[in-house]
Amino acid sequence: MRTDVTKITETSPYAELTEGLKIYAGGTSKKFHTGEWRTSRPIMNWEKCKQCLLCAPVCPDSSIPVADGKRGNFEMDYCKGCGICASVCPFGAIEMKEGQ
Amino acid sequence: MNTYDFKNTMSKPERLAPGHRMCAGCGGTIAVRAVLRGLHPEDQAVIGNATSCLEVSTFMYPYTAWEDSYIHNAFENAGATIGGVEAAYNVLKKKGKLKDADNFKFITFGGDGGTYDIGLQSLSGAMERNHDILYVCYDNGAYMNTGIQRSSATPLYADTTTTPVGSHSNGKMQNRKDLASIIADHNVPYAAQTTLLGNFKDIHTKAEKGIYTKGAAFLNVMAPCPRGWRYETSEIMDICKLAVETCYWPLFEVENGKWTLNYEPRKKLPIEDFLRPQGRFRHLFKRGNEHLLEEFQTEVDRRWEDLLFKSSRT
Amino acid sequence: MSIKERMSGNEAVSYAIKQINPDVMPAFPITPSTEIPQMVSGYVANGEIDTEFIAVESEHSAMSAAVGASAAGARTLTATSSCGLALMWEVLHIAASNRLPIALALVNRTLSGPININCDHSDSMGARDSGWIQIYAENNQEAYDNFIQAYRIAENKEVLLPVMICQDGFITSHAVENIELLEDEKVKAFVGEYEPEDFLLNPGKPMAVGPYAVTGYGMEAKKNQEIAMENSRSVILDVAREFAALTGRKYGYFEEYHLEDAEYAMLIIGSAAGTAKDAVDELRKTGKKVGILKLRVFRPFPGKEIAQALKNVKAVAVMDRSESYRGGGGPLGVEVGSALFMERVHIEAVNYIYGLAGRDFTVENAIEVFSEMEAMVTEGREVPQYQYVGLRK
Amino acid sequence: MNSRTIEMRWHGRGGQGAKTAALLLADVAFKTGKQVQGFPEYGPERMGAPITAFNRVSDHKIRVHSHIYTPDFVVVVDDTLLESVDVTSGLKADGAIIINTSRSKEEILPLLKGYKGGVYTIDARKISIAALGKYYPNSPMLATAVAVSGVMDTEEFLDEMQASFQHKFASKPEVVEGNMMALKMALEEVTRKQQEVA
């Protein structure tokens, strides 16, 4: 069954689920926003950021995008607020703040 | 192998998408991301996965966090499963049924439960048969998925839900199994041990070697679990560093039987430094339990000396 | 023109495998199915097929690797018996729920304990609810024919389920008998190429297999799997029709032997059906109206058809070659009884357990069963509804 | 059961080739156009343990899949079995038993529990060593079984065996010759004994 996987929800009738619950695509989890789990958020101070990128690999949620050797803004749809990035930043450019 | 260019490596397209349900601060997904950066961007992969936190969180129907093809089978059979995929690839290529697909790599992930314990036979078989795969164990030292029960990777004296500290117990009474050595003794082309450090050069280099070594490769990655180890989520990188600096978790690799120690601390730190930040070892720091720490240190020293000996052989 | 040959049941299935030339076969030896992986390894070693044979370290890994290979897009099979099938149990369910058209050559042998290498159906009956199609053979010919039909059923887009092709350990697997084989090219044409729509190795089209499904999806997924099993009913018959057109050998859910006017019927699976047919011939000579329903397809279970086929008999002996330990009979006893009830077919039924752990089943045994049924109906003899054949008392 | 089905039971010891002989008989009978069955009784027995194998040969399709309890013929590949195994069990009175032994028929008879049917002794060791230089009882026993049971014409049997040996030992013509000689010697011996009986 080649149902459009992006349209499958917990209210879909059985005939609309994929056969064997296979998913014919990669990275569909991006539809699910784990940012809602957050109880504290990282705040970026771009002036202090030296683009060393040490924060990028430590993010468990792939929420620090890097392109052409430079990091961008946090993907707040997914960031769970663990604070590892703030902890490893040698320049104090990331600060964790309570709240979503 | 190219020399490690951190910025270029970090600029590669992400192969583990966000939106997965792993815990905040999870070491497992940091490890997975690092391993997947070892894949060259032009190559495709089939990712295998033993049942684990990683599996139930990264492929929760209909959401897959994997950008590559992915297969989860069961808890105890990740080795055999990815072996089957690799065999299929070889024969379909041979029969000319896979056009434009000569760049598949096979990587499978298991936790220590699925790798050290219930899946050991399947892993051992896959290694002995020398399938062209990389098996990565993200070792967080207990069955975290089911609520922190001890595994054979759990360190001595750790407080877990099946080795609880009590009036008659100091936690787990046995030493942890040394799986990387066991796999190295399968005489596979490549076996290595690493963890999450600094700019991730060590894990990246080993993942890339493992993926691009012809034949079976195994990578054991210490991946701390803030919930099971009971430390502040933000402190993960310090914990990993202390594991290495105390020689609790040495970085080594075994290439075709040749052991190489990748890092030797200038000054070996006492094991207390690694244990103290973790709630699972809190009881070791009570007055009267000094002998337990001594025992722990003795075992760390013994294994370190053994590794020094193995890696000094030429 | 078919090729007249003689070979054992294991040779027959191995020969079918050779003619099909599947892509991947992971297997681990276990008596009495061991010869199959041995023969396939031989074909590979001699370049007669280019199947990738994986000599795994357990049956568990055999089925696990089969799941990986099948999901990757390869036509896949394995072979096993008894405890080997039991060790696969968890993964059997996964193969079915992932909708992977794997073929399994099962050579039936009793499950331990006690350890015993001979035939009964406790292994496959134990796996009856694993979501696999199950097809049984009376002899080497049927084992061969069923195996050639297996992939056509399993790989049908409306089905996509794994299929178990069963034959009786030693009794047919190791008995050399006459057989008619098909020419290689006819088998190849009949079975066709496997062209999966979606598979792990499809370049540029990633696929994910084996998810965690929350309650909101799990039940719907299982219903879909059940529908696939229902779909297999017509596919099994369609494939059999095509096969009959090719070979002249007719197959259905079951074979009826002198059942049309029978007053007493025996429902039986596997090699013992042949023995029972000889008993029917002997009894018919003396004027007894007796017949056989030889069940070929046990999953999906053709309950309605069985009930309809039996509706005019006075009594049926339901023959189970495995014990359910439910305190009252075997699996066929339950399912046939249930089918008769659901179809409102009110006939006498007795559940006999026979042939456990290789206990021989003879023509005389079958005659005794028929006699007992007749006595029950005509003389009102009290007959326990569940009993053993050939048990030392 | 079809009256024209001939049932034969083989007794031997693990490793002596009784199973192989039964399968060979099925093979050669098949080649002469018969419907056949050849199967051993299986257990975990190893080298030296008593084993049983069976044959059915018929002009009609064989459906029965039980062991053979009332054989027409019994073949004993090792006479030491006579002490421990009830070889004549169920053997039809109008049938025959064939025993590989260097002893005389008179010496053997007391071990057969009063069996009244045909009794044939054949010294397969002597024949095998004379023909092949080694002790392989299969060829002489097979020839004897064919001659005594009459499951097929002996000339046809020899032709089929010749073809089969030539296929099997394509690179060793001397083995083909030796085996053929063993078959022929056994056939001659049986014919002589049959004439004595007549």
Side-chain angles (χ1 to χ4, degrees):
Chain A
M1 236 164 299
R2 301 310 310 258
T3 315
D4 179 357
V5 294
T6 62
K7 298 211 169 76
I8 296 168
T9 72
E10 279 189 61
T11 59
S12 303
Y14 66 79
E16 288 176 17
L17 302 192
T18 49
E19 174 186 274
L21 296 189
K22 292 170 188 133
I23 289 295
Y24 311 113
T28 56
S29 63
K30 279 173 270 191
K31 298 272 284 183
F32 188 82
H33 291 171
T34 52
E36 292 167 15
W37 298 7
R38 204 167 46 233
T39 56
S40 64
R41 62 187 288 125
I43 306 291
M44 193 67 200
N45 183 339
W46 287 109
E47 282 174 18
K48 290 190 181 172
C49 176
K50 305 262 190 268
Q51 290 292 354
C52 73
L53 298 189
L54 285 175
C55 57
V58 301
C59 177
D61 291 290
S62 314
S63 297
I64 303 176
V66 177
D68 302 327
K70 287 208 159 106
R71 63 154 291 175
N73 283 322
F74 289 106
E75 302 253 26
M76 297 309 284
D77 281 349
Y78 309 109
C79 167
K80 292 171 188 154
C82 66
I84 302 173
C85 54
S87 168
V88 300
C89 178
F91 309 105
I94 304 168
E95 190 191 348
M96 297 305 291
K97 276 237 165 100
E98 294 257 324
Q100 276 257 321
Chain B
M1 300 286 156
N2 301 329
T3 49
Y4 184 59
D5 179 331
F6 178 53
K7 290 206 165 184
N8 265 345
T9 302
M10 291 315 303
S11 304
K12 286 179 167 182
E14 195 68 47
R15 293 180 107 125
L16 184 75
H20 60 74
R21 330 287 179 97
M22 294 292 262
C23 294
C26 173
T29 39
I30 302 175
V32 169
R33 290 184 61 219
V35 169
L36 295 182
R37 284 194 297 270
L39 268 166
H40 300 164
E42 65 276 16
D43 289 336
Q44 308 179 72
V46 177
I47 308 295
N49 200 176
T51 310
S52 54
C53 314
L54 183 67
E55 181 269 321
V56 300
S57 306
T58 59
F59 186 19
M60 192 181 267
Y61 190 77
Y63 305 111
T64 173
W66 305 85
E67 298 286 1
D68 291 281
S69 271
Y70 170 89
I71 181 166
H72 157 248
N73 191 343
F75 194 4
E76 67 289 358
N77 60 5
T81 306
I82 201 74
V85 175
E86 185 254 4
Y89 177 62
N90 293 337
V91 69
L92 293 177
K93 239 182 7 175
K94 188 170 69 182
K95 290 185 174 186
K97 291 186 185 174
L98 284 182
K99 304 258 172 351
D100 316 315
D102 55 354
N103 59 344
F104 269 98
K105 301 292 162 194
F106 306 96
I107 306 170
T108 201
F109 293 96
D112 47 291
T115 308
Y116 282 67
D117 289 344
I118 196 168
L120 181 61
Q121 175 183 315
S122 184
L123 169 65
S124 174
M127 290 287 129
E128 184 271 335
R129 291 190 299 274
N130 204 25
H131 291 286
D132 191 9
I133 59 170
L134 169 64
Y135 189 110
V136 182
C137 176
Y138 75 101
D139 175 354
N140 53 28
Y143 307 151
M144 301 308 183
N145 195 29
T146 42
I148 320 164
Q149 295 81 31
R150 66 90 89 180
S151 75
S152 63
T154 301
L156 183 67
Y157 298 136
D159 183 16
T160 75
T161 57
T162 49
T163 56
V165 172
S167 57
H168 289 63
S169 164
N170 288 309
K172 192 194 179 208
M173 296 306 289
Q174 301 83 16
N175 285 305
R176 57 176 287 278
K177 190 190 275 182
D178 187 355
L179 187 61
S181 295
I182 292 167
I183 300 302
D185 279 347
H186 281 62
N187 291 294
V188 290
Y190 190 74
Q193 181 163 293
T194 184
T195 186
L196 318 173
L197 292 165
N199 70 357
F200 286 68
K201 181 182 175 185
D202 194 74
I203 188 170
H204 177 87
T205 312
K206 288 174 179 172
E208 191 181 22
K209 266 194 203 175
I211 294 166
Y212 290 94
T213 293
K214 185 85 192 140
F218 176 79
L219 184 56
N220 201 20
V221 187
M222 190 189 80
C225 168
R227 192 163 155 260
W229 294 19
R230 286 182 269 147
Y231 62 86
E232 283 298 321
T233 54
S234 58
E235 302 311 308
I236 187 168
M237 297 304 285
D238 295 331
I239 300 253
C240 289
K241 188 161 196 290
L242 287 166
V244 176
E245 296 294 338
T246 57
C247 301
Y248 167 78
W249 194 265
L251 309 177
F252 63 86
E253 57 191 339
V254 187
E255 289 169 276
N256 297 311
K258 168 110 181 69
W259 288 68
T260 306
L261 184 62
N262 303 110
Y263 176 77
E264 201 169 345
R266 213 164 294 156
K267 183 178 177 298
K268 187 178 170 194
L269 296 179
I271 192 63
E272 286 95 313
D273 290 6
F274 170 64
L275 303 178
R276 196 176 288 108
Q278 303 180 46
R280 60 176 174 160
F281 295 117
R282 194 168 53 204
H283 55 292
L284 300 184
F285 294 91
K286 279 190 190 148
R287 191 169 306 168
N289 277 349
E290 293 79 4
H291 65 289
L292 301 179
L293 285 170
E294 266 172 48
E295 264 181 62
F296 203 123
Q297 184 69 60
T298 305
E299 182 63 13
V300 169
D301 292 347
R302 189 188 68 74
R303 292 191 187 197
W304 176 249
E305 291 302 321
D306 185 45
L307 180 60
L308 287 176
F309 173 72
K310 282 175 178 165
S311 51
S312 66
R313 287 181 308 200
T314 48
Chain C
M1 276 299 288
S2 61
I3 303 158
K4 291 198 191 309
E5 258 296 354
R6 75 296 185 198
M7 52 176 62
S8 71
N10 276 346
E11 286 176 299
V13 165
S14 304
Y15 199 80
I17 294 169
K18 182 171 100 164
Q19 292 182 309
I20 294 167
N21 189 13
D23 299 317
V24 178
M25 178 175 188
F28 186 79
I30 182 167
T31 305
S33 62
T34 304
E35 291 178 339
I36 299 174
Q38 279 179 343
M39 287 183 229
V40 171
S41 305
Y43 299 143
V44 173
N46 294 319
E48 293 171 273
I49 54 175
D50 45 14
T51 304
E52 188 87 0
F53 181 81
I54 317 176
V56 285
E57 83 299 334
S58 70
E59 291 90 351
H60 190 285
S61 283
M63 188 45 62
S64 302
V67 164
S70 184
R75 186 176 266 164
T76 305
L77 80 156
T78 186
T80 196
S81 294
S82 183
C83 308
L85 188 72
L87 188 59
M88 291 178 182
W89 197 74
E90 177 193 13
V91 197
L92 290 177
H93 286 248
I94 293 168
S97 71
N98 284 337
R99 309 286 302 278
L100 300 172
I102 299 164
L104 192 162
L106 185 77
V107 182
N108 285 103
R109 162 185 159 186
T110 189
L111 282 178
S112 294
I115 186 167
N116 170 287
I117 59 171
N118 298 102
C119 176
D120 69 34
H121 297 155
S122 50
D123 48 5
S124 55
M125 284 295 157
R128 65 189 180 274
D129 294 338
S130 59
W132 283 61
I133 293 167
Q134 286 191 348
I135 303 180
Y136 290 81
E138 178 187 322
N139 49 38
N140 58 349
Q141 183 75 61
E142 294 189 4
Y144 172 78
D145 291 351
N146 289 342
F147 202 89
I148 286 172
Q149 294 172 63
Y151 284 116
R152 289 288 306 278
I153 299 163
E155 292 167 2
N156 184 291
K157 297 262 186 281
E158 301 301 313
V159 179
L160 289 173
L161 285 176
V163 57
M164 219 175 267
I165 301 299
C166 309
Q167 65 168 313
D168 285 352
F170 292 119
I171 303 171
T172 69
S173 71
H174 284 63
V176 169
E177 296 186 272
N178 300 59
I179 189 170
E180 291 187 14
L181 302 171
L182 288 165
E183 291 83 355
D184 293 356
E185 57 282 3
K186 278 190 187 162
V187 172
K188 280 197 192 336
F190 182 82
V191 177
E193 285 286 312
Y194 178 42
E195 277 156 4
E197 215 172 315
D198 302 287
F199 52 107
L200 295 170
L201 297 170
N202 201 359
K205 290 184 181 169
M207 177 176 82
V209 179
Y212 182 86
V214 294
T215 313
Y217 295 111
M219 189 151 164
E220 281 71 17
K222 287 173 195 293
K223 180 59 193 169
N224 284 335
Q225 191 183 328
E226 160 58 20
I227 290 169
M229 187 58 91
E230 286 175 30
N231 292 345
S232 74
R233 290 182 192 280
S234 60
V235 174
I236 288 167
L237 296 183
D238 290 346
V239 171
R241 262 191 294 274
E242 244 187 90
F243 190 78
L246 181 71
T247 63
R249 294 192 289 276
K250 295 194 172 98
Y251 291 98
Y253 299 140
F254 45 80
E255 178 193 335
E256 297 177 41
Y257 188 73
H258 290 304
L259 202 58
E260 59 290 341
D261 65 341
E263 294 176 339
Y264 306 100
M266 179 180 283
L267 188 149
I268 196 161
I269 287 181
S271 63
T275 307
K277 284 176 187 170
D278 273 15
V280 165
D281 285 4
E282 282 203 26
L283 290 169
R284 285 263 166 185
K285 277 185 211 156
T286 66
K288 307 284 185 196
K289 291 188 168 175
V290 292
I292 303 284
L293 189 154
K294 181 187 81 186
L295 192 57
R296 172 178 177 248
V297 179
F298 180 68
R299 285 288 181 270
F301 188 70
K304 280 186 183 178
E305 292 82 356
I306 289 172
Q308 289 306 317
L310 293 175
K311 70 180 174 201
N312 295 322
V313 308
K314 291 177 179 164
V316 59
V318 181
M319 308 295 290
D320 264 302
R321 200 165 195 153
S322 61
E323 174 55 88
S324 267
Y325 305 109
R326 65 184 164 89
L332 270 175
V334 180
E335 301 213 11
V336 173
S338 157
L340 294 173
F341 179 84
M342 299 302 262
E343 285 293 297
R344 310 283 192 270
V345 172
H346 300 294
I347 57 169
E348 296 288 338
V350 180
N351 188 192
Y352 290 93
I353 309 287
Y354 76 100
L356 301 187
R359 178 60 49 85
D360 204 18
F361 182 75
T362 62
V363 172
E364 291 68 31
N365 290 145
I367 288 173
E368 275 167 38
V369 168
F370 278 120
S371 306
E372 188 166 72
M373 305 243 286
E374 187 183 15
M376 175 176 73
V377 171
T378 60
E379 300 162 21
R381 191 194 294 175
E382 293 268 334
V383 172
Q385 285 198 317
Y386 153 59
Q387 54 176 308
Y388 275 51
V389 179
L391 180 74
R392 281 194 311 281
K393 288 177 185 157
Chain D
M1 214 179 299
N2 194 291
S3 56
R4 272 182 286 177
T5 300
I6 289 174
E7 294 188 315
M8 190 177 293
R9 190 171 67 211
W10 297 74
H11 294 281
R13 294 189 183 278
Q16 283 176 340
K19 174 194 153 189
T20 311
L23 297 184
L24 271 174
L25 179 66
D27 215 52
V28 69
F30 160 79
K31 287 180 178 161
T32 61
K34 299 283 186 183
Q35 295 284 323
V36 297
Q37 242 182 17
F39 59 103
E41 178 181 32
Y42 273 94
E45 288 87 356
R46 307 290 159 161
M47 295 280 278
I51 63 121
T52 314
F54 306 95
N55 280 119
R56 287 190 178 93
V57 179
S58 177
D59 292 324
H60 296 273
K61 185 170 170 58
I62 302 165
R63 297 177 306 198
V64 66
H65 275 110
S66 65
H67 292 170
I68 290 167
Y69 299 94
T70 53
D72 300 288
F73 301 97
V74 164
V75 186
V76 182
V77 183
D78 181 336
D79 68 356
T80 61
L81 288 166
L82 297 175
E83 318 274 345
S84 53
V85 178
D86 186 6
V87 294
T88 55
S89 169
L91 176 58
K92 286 179 186 158
D94 58 354
I97 184 165
I98 300 152
I99 300 155
N100 171 19
T101 183
S102 57
R103 290 184 273 179
S104 70
K105 185 172 161 182
E106 289 65 36
E107 283 173 277
I108 292 295
L109 275 175
L111 297 168
L112 298 181
K113 300 184 177 171
Y115 177 63
K116 297 276 188 292
V119 176
Y120 294 90
T121 57
I122 180 102
D123 193 342
R125 179 183 295 274
K126 202 167 113 191
I127 291 174
S128 178
I129 290 187
L132 286 156
K134 280 179 191 151
Y135 180 41
Y136 293 124
N138 267 348
S139 286
M141 292 313 289
L142 184 60
T144 312
V146 165
V148 171
S149 66
V151 289
M152 72 194 80
D153 179 72
T154 50
E155 284 305 312
E156 230 178 315
F157 165 70
L158 287 175
D159 289 348
E160 290 299 343
M161 290 307 289
Q162 171 105 23
S164 164
F165 287 139
Q166 274 168 347
H167 178 75
K168 198 171 161 193
F169 305 110
S171 58
K172 294 186 239 172
E174 70 284 0
V175 179
V176 178
E177 232 169 85
N179 271 299
M180 288 309 293
M181 198 199 286
L183 293 178
K184 285 174 191 161
M185 286 171 72
L187 286 177
E188 280 161 23
E189 174 91 6
V190 177
T191 314
R192 193 170 53 76
K193 286 187 173 159
Q194 277 170 327
Q195 281 159 354
E196 278 170 24
V197 172

